[in-house]
Amino acid sequence: FVLLGRAASHEMEPVIDQRTIEKFRYLRGKMFISLGENWNIPRMAEEVNFSPSRFHAIYKEIFGTAPMTDLIKARINSAENMLLFENRSISEISLSLGYQNTTHFIRQFKAVTGFSPAQYRKTHRSG
């Protein structure tokens, strides 16, 4: 009965319309272009006119990941490129990506890549 109830509830979930998908894609692009801004769920939800909980569910449905996880991965990816191709300090890079705390940035970077930013730069930079 539990499985039947779950199956029935999934069938009743509304399909996300194309206009909503486009709004979310636009927001995601805006976030990725401005990684240094203070992005949080309430701000993201407001940008697309949804409640934070509904926003979170729709975002995950469209992109297959939670919004903050997506943002963190984008920030870390950007940091990887900066570490390889720029000579800015780790502190400068973390601030440019919206981190107020360099230690927090280092922890997140290591959780995603397996390296500290300094190790990553030393190991992956050629020359």
Side-chain angles (χ1 to χ4, degrees):
F1 287 116
V2 172
L3 293 176
L4 286 173
R6 286 185 186 154
S9 71
H10 285 297
E11 289 172 12
M12 297 176 71
E13 288 180 10
V15 175
I16 302 168
D17 64 78
Q18 195 60 39
R19 185 169 176 266
T20 299
I21 292 170
E22 290 305 318
K23 283 170 51 174
F24 275 70
R25 284 184 179 153
Y26 178 80
L27 169 65
R28 189 179 195 222
K30 186 175 177 179
M31 288 165 39
F32 287 6
I33 287 171
S34 56
L35 293 171
E37 289 187 26
N38 183 24
W39 291 104
N40 56 45
I41 299 296
R43 177 183 173 193
M44 293 177 207
E46 187 177 306
E47 293 260 346
V48 291
N49 298 315
F50 281 94
S51 70
S53 60
R54 186 75 181 121
F55 165 79
H56 193 279
I58 294 172
Y59 193 99
K60 194 166 184 174
E61 180 72 25
I62 294 171
F63 300 113
T65 188
M68 291 308 293
T69 301
D70 205 19
L71 179 63
I72 290 165
K73 285 182 180 178
R75 284 177 169 165
I76 299 306
N77 184 272
S78 184
E80 287 174 310
N81 287 319
M82 289 181 200
L83 288 164
L84 295 179
F85 302 111
E86 297 180 18
N87 290 318
R88 293 196 283 177
S89 71
I90 292 165
S91 177
E92 289 172 321
I93 290 170
S94 71
L95 282 172
S96 76
L97 292 171
Y99 290 91
Q100 302 303 312
N101 182 316
T102 303
T103 304
H104 180 64
F105 163 71
I106 292 169
R107 266 193 236 112
Q108 280 193 340
F109 189 93
K110 189 167 186 170
V112 172
T113 66
F115 295 92
S116 72
Q119 290 169 326
Y120 187 89
R121 178 176 265 167
K122 185 177 180 183
T123 307
H124 294 82
R125 200 176 215 179
S126 57

